[in-house]
Amino acid sequence: MIQSVKDDGRGPSGPPDLFELIKKLTGGGRGPSRGKLGGGFIGVLLLILLVWGAMTSFYTVQPEQRAVVKRFGSVKGITDPGLHFKIPFGIDQIQLVATERVLKQEFGFRTRGTRQGESSTYSAAEFEDESLMLTGDLNMIDVEWVVQYRIEDPIKFLYQMREPTRTLRDISESVMRRIVGNMLGSEVLTIGRVEIQQKAGDEIQVILNQYDAGIRISTVEMQDVVPPPAVQPAFNEVNEARQERERMINEAQKRVNQEIPNAEGAALRTVAEAEGYATERVNRADGESTRFSAVLREYQQAPTVTRSRLYLETLNEILPNIGQILVVQDGQVGPLPLLDVNRKTIGGDK
């Protein structure tokens, strides 16, 4: 029971009587002024209730969101973007979920909030408990990756699991550690990145589907994959030696690719020349034999005429190539040119 503090003649020594204050506000006291005061209070109270009801009767859903409507704690449905009505006074409660936005979870690093148009900045803190992993050949490696996902079913995302985001992180880390642990360190650092990303995305999605989490994995992207800082210098030396070996192998392969086609081309050219020479000799021999047979037939028909014609043709072929003919007699000082076939005429005289 609440009791009021009485006045003992020394002025107010405590708060006013609570029952008296309630009577004044509700018009329970005597006189017309008290009734007017109580009626005004009820009007103000009704006005406040009316404004509160009007303000809590509508809600807006953005284009990239979906709204989950709950009534007395029970889910009633999902509403699309736009302006919607709901029962006021907290009877209907709204939870907005960004279903059309691609969300991400970062492992091994954290991106600081940046303004639009500025380059991204990263936290200087170390997250080695997430990124350090053991490979199949018992080497330590530092793996940083990003999981991008979308909320496919808002109701399942909110109520199927207690902490869906934390569950997604635990699943992603477990899957990535298992995949990296089944591969060699050199593969993870070089050629295995694409395979790891694809396998991790598929396996994470399978587990989330078993949990019925309402999450759809978009991509799994590996960022920096490096050895721990303690062994970084040794790893750089090994990597440089490996690159030098690859360079020498590529140069040798380039030389092979140049020399073998050149040798094959020269061999084919020699074979083609030999085949062409053989064909030429055969054709020439065939022509000579055919010509000789034709001359023989003519000789058999007219031996004298054929013999004279052959003699003259032979002279016609030989005399232009003889040059100067000199007849030298004993006792003479100089030679006497008898016939100069090759000398050109001077001034039109022969």
Side-chain angles (χ1 to χ4, degrees):
M1 179 175 179
I2 301 177
Q3 297 180 350
S4 61
V5 179
K6 301 295 183 179
D7 187 5
D8 55 359
R10 294 179 298 179
S13 59
D17 191 347
L18 182 59
F19 292 106
E20 293 294 334
L21 182 60
I22 294 175
K23 290 180 180 180
K24 290 180 180 180
L25 293 177
T26 56
R30 299 179 180 177
S33 59
R34 294 183 178 180
K36 293 181 179 179
L37 181 60
F41 175 75
I42 295 176
V44 171
L45 182 60
L46 292 176
L47 180 61
I48 293 174
L49 292 177
L50 182 61
V51 172
W52 182 28
M55 293 179 62
T56 58
S57 297
F58 300 93
Y59 65 96
T60 302
V61 183
Q62 299 299 325
E64 73 276 6
Q65 297 176 338
R66 295 295 183 272
V68 178
V69 181
K70 295 193 303 181
R71 185 171 301 165
F72 297 112
S74 176
V75 177
K76 291 301 180 181
I78 301 174
T79 56
D80 294 328
L83 182 64
H84 300 276
F85 172 80
K86 66 183 181 70
I87 300 177
F89 308 116
I91 298 176
D92 282 354
Q93 296 179 351
I94 306 299
Q95 286 185 286
L96 299 176
V97 181
T99 58
E100 303 302 321
R101 186 183 304 169
V102 177
L103 307 175
K104 67 177 181 178
Q105 293 292 329
E106 299 172 339
F107 298 85
F109 70 101
R110 297 293 185 273
T111 302
R112 293 178 179 175
T114 57
R115 297 179 181 177
Q116 186 175 5
E118 297 181 357
S119 59
S120 300
T121 58
Y122 302 95
S123 175
E126 299 290 339
F127 300 92
E128 294 182 350
D129 56 336
E130 297 177 354
S131 59
L132 285 182
M133 301 182 185
L134 189 65
T135 61
D137 52 357
L138 302 181
N139 288 323
M140 293 297 295
I141 194 168
D142 195 347
V143 181
E144 297 178 357
W145 76 98
V146 177
V147 177
Q148 295 181 341
Y149 65 97
R150 290 176 57 252
I151 300 175
E152 191 174 41
D153 192 327
I155 297 177
K156 293 180 180 179
F157 179 79
L158 292 175
Y159 306 112
Q160 189 68 27
M161 293 186 296
R162 179 174 296 177
E163 296 183 2
T165 304
R166 183 61 188 174
T167 303
L168 174 61
R169 293 189 62 86
D170 293 340
I171 293 173
S172 302
E173 186 173 347
S174 175
V175 169
M176 186 62 69
R177 288 184 180 278
R178 187 185 60 79
I179 294 176
V180 172
N182 291 333
M183 300 181 66
L184 299 177
S186 58
E187 294 179 353
V188 178
L189 292 170
T190 55
I191 61 176
R193 295 168 64 100
V194 176
E195 180 183 358
I196 292 174
Q197 293 175 172
Q198 183 176 1
K199 291 178 64 176
D202 295 340
E203 293 187 14
I204 293 172
Q205 187 62 63
V206 169
I207 297 174
L208 291 175
N209 291 341
Q210 293 176 354
Y211 289 163
D212 203 14
I215 297 176
R216 175 63 57 184
I217 300 298
S218 299
T219 57
V220 175
E221 297 182 1
M222 300 183 69
Q223 303 298 312
D224 290 340
V225 182
V226 294
V231 297
Q232 185 71 36
F235 171 78
N236 291 336
E237 294 178 0
V238 173
N239 194 26
E240 291 175 359
R242 184 180 292 110
Q243 292 178 358
E244 182 67 18
R245 182 192 65 181
E246 294 296 331
R247 185 185 65 81
M248 297 180 66
I249 292 174
N250 293 334
E251 290 181 355
Q253 188 64 37
K254 177 182 177 182
R255 186 68 180 274
V256 169
N257 294 335
Q258 290 177 349
E259 295 297 332
I260 291 179
N262 291 337
E264 291 178 351
L268 293 176
R269 183 176 68 251
T270 302
V271 172
E273 290 177 354
E275 292 177 350
Y277 179 74
T279 303
E280 179 186 1
R281 296 290 294 177
V282 171
N283 293 336
R284 182 179 297 178
D286 291 341
E288 292 291 337
S289 62
T290 303
R291 177 175 174 274
F292 182 80
S293 300
V295 172
L296 178 61
R297 286 193 299 269
E298 295 295 331
Y299 182 80
Q300 291 175 351
Q301 294 178 2
T304 304
V305 176
T306 303
R307 190 165 47 245
S308 300
R309 183 172 63 81
L310 292 174
Y311 177 75
L312 293 176
E313 288 178 354
T314 304
L315 291 178
N316 189 28
E317 293 179 359
I318 295 175
L319 289 178
N321 298 324
I322 291 178
Q324 294 181 351
I325 299 176
L326 302 179
V327 178
V328 180
Q329 296 181 358
D330 296 337
Q332 290 186 354
V333 177
L336 176 63
L338 179 62
L339 180 61
D340 192 354
V341 180
N342 293 331
R343 181 174 296 177
K344 296 182 180 180
T345 59
I346 301 175
D349 297 338
K350 295 183 180 179

